[in-house]
Amino acid sequence: APAPPPAQHLFSDPAEIEALRGNLLAWYDKCKRDLPWRRLAATEPDADRRAYAVWVSEIMLQQTQVATVIDYYNRWMQKWPTLQALAQASLEEVNELWAGLGYYSRGKRLQEAARKVVSELAGQMPRTAEDLQKLLPGVGRYTAGAIASISYGQATGVVDGNVIRVLCRLRCIGADSSSPAVIERLWDMANALVDRSRPGDFNQALMELGATVCVPKAPLCGECPVKQHCRARRRKLFGKPAPVPDVEDCGVGSCPLCPPAAEPWDSSLGVTNFPRKAAKKQPRAARTATCVLERRGCHGAPEYLIVQRPSSGLLAGLWEFPSLPLAQGLQEEKQREVLADHLRAWTGRPVVAGGLRFIGEVVHIFSHIHQTYVVYSLPLDGDVTLDPALSPSRWVTEKEFHASAVSTAMKKVL
Ligand code: SF4
């Protein structure tokens, strides 16, 4: 078993833990933001319905700001107020509602999981973090902990980006906060700290603190309800680590939770010395040629051809303009030729490369791909018979385009 971490990185005093819980919960009761899923979780008597609401909000909040999520959450709950309703939805409907929120597999897996609960678990949500994580696709350790603590009152902690930041600052953890060893320590800490009688509120309070007070760049330490427990703040004020009995165990470079010896405490950064992360991998660069095929619709308004992406992989099942990934370093002339070849299949007639009008480039950053769309347009006269053997495709007006399950990148292209 690994040796326990040095005391300066631990919460070991029961009186301090009690005081921290009390201060944090009192602050949360007074200052928490009024959010629709919190309102529902506080007033809904049925635990499974609470769990569904928390689940939907947590999945939407992964990688997305609260302000953006609220509107999507409200529309989602209006359309599918229960798990049973969601289980009957089609993937197309889910993608349409999710359009613009990004990371589309989240919506897809949410719906698959709802179907699983209805068809395999007799409509009963699993009620512990362990079962939620084990049985529901797309539910990881964090989401499982959030649902179990907020909806079912299980005394289990949660660790998300906000909690990582707060805990690393409270206990001066400067080792790479994305490393499995540090993450495991933070889970231990979150599980030890969580309030036994109000676990859901405690977890939300810790996350709320990270979202509104202990923010990444300019934390509001003066207003912080747990500042007297914060070792990063003490270190900022007094210039050295907290005087705990075995602090000498944290010799620079030998402690697994201290900053690496090559990047010691920087006094100009203060508490924002923590947390630290290893440098992120650069996203992969990719180029895709895409063509907006346009025709005059029955009332003279322009219509555009959109085609459906495969049902797995990036942007699964979403609609886009006919597109083709390009090999690196392809000359412009060659790009046109391969795109013209590709379009031939969609239009059912030869497409002359020279007839494609280059419009410009659109850059869109996915989490791991720096994607450049090279955009062309091609007006078509006469009718085009779409080949049913190809992927599903359809002509849409601009209004229909915006109501379809299309990605933000394709909206930029249009
Ligand atoms: Fe974060 Fe400052 Fe509070 Fe410490 S005192 S937890 S650094 S806001």
Side-chain angles (χ1 to χ4, degrees), residues 12 25 45 64 68 105 128 145 154 166 177 193 215 221 223 235 262 272 289 320 327 329 336 366 407:
S12 42
L25 284 167
T64 313
T68 309
S105 59
T128 63
Q154 187 187 0
V166 174
S177 66
L193 286 180
V215 291
C221 297
E223 299 170 22
R235 178 154 186 183
T272 63
E320 65 182 8
R336 274 172 195 273
F366 295 97
S407 68

Side-chain angles (χ1 to χ4, degrees), residues 293 295 303 305-307 322 342-351 380-395:
L293 290 166
R295 72 171 189 188
E303 288 183 343
L305 181 71
I306 55 173
V307 304
H342 180 68
L343 294 174
R344 195 163 300 150
W346 292 108
T347 57
R349 56 170 111 154
V351 173
L380 293 174
D381 42 21
D383 205 14
V384 172
T385 314
L386 299 172
D387 182 351
L390 296 168
S391 308
S393 58
R394 61 181 202 249
W395 290 96

Side-chain angles (χ1 to χ4, degrees), residues 166 169-170 209 213-214 219-221 224 226-227 230 232-233 271:
V166 174
R169 288 176 179 170
L170 285 174
L209 188 73
V213 175
C214 194
L220 310 169
C221 297
C224 175
V226 295
K227 57 178 179 265
C230 181
R233 182 166 183 268
V271 299

Side-chain angles (χ1 to χ4, degrees), residues 121-345:
L121 307 173
Q124 297 285 305
M125 283 283 284
R127 291 192 160 213
T128 63
E130 297 71 26
D131 284 351
L132 283 158
Q133 193 182 347
K134 195 166 71 192
L135 297 173
L136 300 187
V139 172
R141 194 173 180 185
Y142 161 76
T143 309
I147 299 172
S149 62
I150 299 170
S151 312
Y152 299 119
Q154 187 187 0
T156 186
V158 293
V159 174
D160 73 343
N162 285 320
V163 173
I164 289 174
R165 184 164 57 257
V166 174
L167 294 181
C168 285
R169 288 176 179 170
L170 285 174
R171 282 303 177 262
C172 284
I173 296 174
D176 176 6
S177 66
S178 60
S179 71
V182 171
I183 292 287
E184 214 38 60
R185 287 291 178 205
L186 295 173
W187 275 100
D188 291 346
M189 207 183 277
N191 282 327
L193 286 180
V194 66
D195 188 90
R196 272 42 192 169
S197 57
R198 296 178 61 191
D201 285 344
F202 179 88
N203 286 337
Q204 291 184 87
L206 204 53
M207 293 189 275
E208 186 84 346
L209 188 73
T212 61
V213 175
C214 194
V215 291
K217 289 214 174 99
L220 310 169
C221 297
E223 299 170 22
C224 175
V226 295
K227 57 178 179 265
Q228 67 270 46
H229 309 289
C230 181
R231 296 207 165 136
R233 182 166 183 268
R234 215 181 300 176
R235 178 154 186 183
K236 180 185 158 199
L237 296 178
F238 302 114
K240 53 181 188 279
V244 289
D246 45 355
V247 69
E248 47 287 347
D249 289 353
C250 287
V252 171
S254 65
C255 170
L257 296 180
C258 274
E263 299 164 39
W265 167 269
D266 175 348
S267 52
S268 70
L269 294 178
V271 299
T272 63
N273 271 285
F274 310 110
R276 292 193 192 183
K277 254 193 203 167
K280 245 190 175 175
K281 248 178 56 193
Q282 286 300 312
R284 167 172 70 81
R287 288 174 73 78
T288 295
T290 188
C291 186
V292 181
L293 290 166
E294 184 180 331
R295 72 171 189 188
R296 292 283 131 193
C298 47
H299 302 298
E303 288 183 343
Y304 309 102
L305 181 71
I306 55 173
V307 304
Q308 194 168 28
R309 289 182 60 85
S311 59
S312 59
L314 184 72
L315 305 172
L318 263 65
W319 296 77
E320 65 182 8
F321 299 114
S323 300
L324 184 71
L326 293 171
Q328 287 295 329
L330 210 59
Q331 297 295 316
E332 213 269 321
E333 203 179 319
K334 196 74 196 146
Q335 264 174 210
R336 274 172 195 273
E337 277 172 27
V338 290
L339 182 61
D341 262 356
H342 180 68
L343 294 174
R344 195 163 300 150

